[in-house]
Amino acid sequence: MPTSSEPRPNIVMILTDDHAAHSIGAYGSVVNKTPRIDEIGQRGRRLDNCFATNALCSPSRASILTGTYSHVNGVPTLDTPIDASQPTFVSQLRQAGYRTALVGKWHMGHGEGHDPQGFDYWDVVIEQGEYWNPRFRSEDGLRTVEGYATDIITDLALEWVEGLEGDEPWCVLIFHKAPHRPWEPNHQHQGMYSDPIPLPATFHDDYATRSASARRAAVRLAENLNEEDLKVRPPEGLSYDELAVWKYQRFMEDYLACVASVDDNVGRVVDWLRERGEFDDTLLMYASDQGFFLGEHGWFDKRFMYEESLRMPFLVSYPRRLPEGGGFTGMVTNVDFAQTILDAAGVAHHPRMQGRSFWPDLLGAPTAPVEGIYYRYWEHDDQFHRAPAHYGYRTERYKLIYFYNDGLGLPGTGPFTYPPEWELYDMQVDPDELHNVHDDPAYRQVREELEVAMWREQARLGDEPHPSQPKPAGI
């Protein structure tokens, strides 16, 4: 934490929606370049093992703000609005004298009790928001702002800071819609990725060892991208595999062009901080609310506990306190963000928060390593993507997933249940998660140890296992 003689940092969190870590240069992207996002990590740290605890927009945002899991903050699905009165890292900062603002995507409900609280200023798009001429809601009501959303959100955030008076520190959350579906680039970046984009190695995955639960999801590029997504009809006469490749190219052209706009606007924020002489004294973070499939396993979207969906980008700089150090490999989750930000600001955590601060780790005073992280996806069999409800436990090497296939009557879930299924992956020998080894006798001991570890983690976090899950032996 800052000492009493050190000034408290200003805080900027730039959060995007559905930005896969593997489409960021700093994370080794082979499909695009993101020099301005990369710059944050170059001046600070890149988190190499940062994970969502529920890879869905609204739930992840609720966990980021509150430092709690979905079953605690009450936002397990897209249709469960937040109780905005609950404590967040922003409300803690405000109580400690910070001026606070949120601009951009909220997507956790609207109206009394659900609009943002704990902010001196908020100005948010409606639900998912529009790319062009977006509608914004603030305490002054609803209005339309002409232009491109990614530029506008940056403009409004910087204008708020520039209007502040006094010396109190400030925190601004710049929450972009991009690069969320339907992937509408601005004019400047339209067509910049017209050359063939390489296919991921698992593009033609045949799901040979995958559970029926995973196969049931409606996230296949060839089948589930619609005409609004593609903006143009595919050529006639394509085979199924040819159509999948054509759709991948169209999707990626627009997705990566939207990312390019984000990168430009991250650069605007960095340059603006430097012009004000405040870059070194600002805790600047770039993250996405979860990962995203970019053709891996033939899929798009997120929701699953597989790596492309689970893994979040997180880059942070604060040159006055945080030395440049490259990648940090310890496991962290989005539930940890709140306490980490509060530690960096020298502000007390709220006792309700469930995460752990990784700020000491970044400063070179490592805490006890995390043995595993817990994940739970609640929005079972929703009408658009049909993804199965599941939870799981990931260690450095292994990943155990239990598809319990029950919406539990939650808003946004489907009415049908399906038989439960297990999957287990050894990511050291199978980093692409192609071979489910749950029933392999060679992994029996590993499986049983993971079942116990997950059960104990559920108990520690206060999350009830599904009734269909057998209690592990040895508990």
Side-chain angles (χ1 to χ4, degrees):
M1 293 187 182
T3 65
S4 58
S5 61
E6 291 179 332
R8 292 184 290 179
N10 295 319
I11 299 169
V12 179
M13 173 178 272
I14 303 174
L15 186 73
T16 45
D17 197 320
D18 294 348
H19 190 186
H22 51 292
S23 60
I24 295 176
Y27 287 93
S29 174
V30 297
V31 294
N32 68 328
K33 293 181 175 21
T34 53
R36 303 313 304 269
I37 296 172
D38 300 348
E39 190 176 338
I40 298 174
Q42 290 162 359
R43 293 301 312 276
R45 302 299 298 273
R46 181 193 69 242
L47 273 60
D48 290 338
N49 288 298
C50 180
F51 304 109
T53 52
N54 183 351
L56 198 58
C57 307
S58 305
S60 180
R61 288 159 190 272
S63 289
I64 288 170
L65 284 171
T66 66
T68 61
Y69 287 77
S70 298
H71 65 279
V72 172
N73 61 51
V75 188
T77 76
L78 296 177
D79 293 337
T80 48
I82 194 170
D83 173 0
S85 68
Q86 60 188 295
T88 66
F89 77 82
V90 175
S91 65
Q92 293 294 106
L93 290 171
R94 195 182 189 199
Q95 289 177 19
Y98 272 77
R99 279 82 56 84
T100 58
L102 163 67
V103 180
K105 184 171 179 179
W106 173 247
H107 200 217
M108 290 184 287
H110 293 298
E112 186 176 354
H114 307 310
D115 284 330
Q117 296 183 31
F119 296 91
D120 296 304
Y121 167 74
W122 57 270
D123 203 354
V124 298
V125 298
I126 306 305
E127 296 184 355
Q128 295 286 359
E130 300 92 4
Y131 275 102
W132 290 100
N133 305 327
R135 294 168 297 154
F136 279 81
R137 186 197 305 274
S138 68
E139 290 182 329
D140 296 328
L142 185 66
R143 74 193 191 285
T144 298
V145 182
E146 298 291 320
Y148 189 66
T150 310
D151 300 329
I152 294 167
I153 290 168
T154 304
D155 291 341
L156 293 173
L158 302 188
E159 286 171 8
W160 175 77
V161 178
E162 289 173 348
L164 294 175
E165 298 179 355
D167 297 326
E168 295 85 2
W170 46 265
C171 169
V172 61
L173 310 185
I174 306 174
F175 281 12
H176 289 294
K177 170 189 174 61
H180 192 281
R181 196 178 193 178
W183 314 297
E184 296 176 5
N186 69 6
H187 302 312
Q188 178 183 351
H189 299 102
Q190 188 92 37
M192 69 180 295
Y193 289 99
S194 57
D195 292 338
I197 297 165
L199 294 175
T202 63
F203 187 80
H204 295 293
D205 186 358
D206 62 5
Y207 317 116
T209 70
R210 203 87 65 206
S211 63
S213 302
R215 297 172 187 235
R216 198 167 52 245
V219 293
R220 297 190 190 185
L221 287 161
E223 299 167 20
N224 302 119
L225 286 180
N226 59 47
E227 289 194 356
E228 181 186 10
D229 299 325
L230 300 170
K231 288 88 173 177
V232 60
R233 289 190 174 180
E236 295 183 1
L238 297 180
S239 68
Y240 181 89
D241 287 344
E242 290 169 340
L243 179 64
V245 172
W246 185 91
K247 285 189 174 184
Y248 167 79
Q249 178 71 28
R250 276 295 306 126
F251 151 63
M252 288 291 283
E253 285 179 21
D254 286 348
Y255 178 92
L256 296 177
C258 291
V259 169
S261 293
V262 169
D263 193 62
D264 285 350
N265 278 278
V266 168
R268 288 181 59 203
V269 174
V270 171
D271 293 344
W272 173 82
L273 286 169
R274 286 204 172 104
E275 289 167 5
R276 291 168 60 93
E278 295 180 347
F279 180 80
D280 286 356
D281 295 307
T282 298
L283 178 70
L284 172 61
M285 295 160 283
Y286 181 86
S288 173
D289 51 9
Q290 69 265 316
F292 207 72
F293 293 106
L294 300 179
E296 294 83 16
H297 312 292
W299 289 342
F300 71 104
D301 205 67
K302 57 267 187 178
R303 291 172 166 81
F304 279 109
M305 198 184 170
Y306 304 126
E307 286 296 283
E308 295 85 3
S309 166
L310 179 71
R311 186 177 296 275
M312 303 168 65
F314 189 98
L315 303 112
V316 55
S317 70
Y318 178 11
R320 188 72 64 198
R321 294 284 320 283
L322 184 64
E324 298 178 10
F328 170 66
T329 59
M331 289 191 292
V332 306
T333 74
N334 55 351
V335 172
D336 300 330
F337 292 3
Q339 294 187 46
T340 301
I341 293 167
L342 292 174
D343 268 7
V347 174
H349 307 167
H350 193 281
R352 182 173 182 261
M353 292 176 173
Q354 295 179 287
R356 58 175 287 275
S357 170
F358 53 85
W359 185 243
D361 300 270
L362 298 181
L363 292 179
T367 55
V370 175
E371 294 184 1
I373 62 104
Y374 178 65
Y375 177 89
R376 184 163 185 173
Y377 174 77
W378 299 76
E379 194 172 281
H380 172 69
D381 202 37
D382 78 284
Q383 63 175 321
F384 294 112
H385 293 291
R386 306 291 309 280
H390 59 288
Y391 49 70
Y393 190 72
R394 185 199 189 281
T395 66
E396 182 179 353
R397 176 170 177 175
Y398 299 106
K399 183 183 295 179
L400 180 72
I401 306 173
Y402 183 61
F403 295 101
Y404 61 92
N405 283 317
D406 183 359
L408 301 170
L410 287 170
T413 62
F416 303 116
T417 60
Y418 302 90
E421 298 180 286
W422 291 92
E423 292 183 355
L424 172 64
Y425 296 95
D426 181 343
M427 293 176 292
Q428 180 173 297
V429 299
D430 178 28
D432 292 328
E433 298 173 300
L434 294 173
H435 305 290
N436 172 21
V437 295
H438 182 267
D439 296 326
D440 186 335
Y443 285 88
R444 177 179 175 179
Q445 182 177 346
V446 168
R447 182 180 72 237
E448 291 176 349
E449 290 174 354
L450 290 171
E451 288 174 0
V452 169
M454 182 171 70
W455 188 277
R456 288 177 173 161
E457 185 69 354
Q458 288 172 315
R460 186 184 75 85
L461 298 173
D463 191 24
E464 289 286 335
H466 190 266
S468 65
Q469 182 189 346
K471 186 175 182 178
I475 292 288

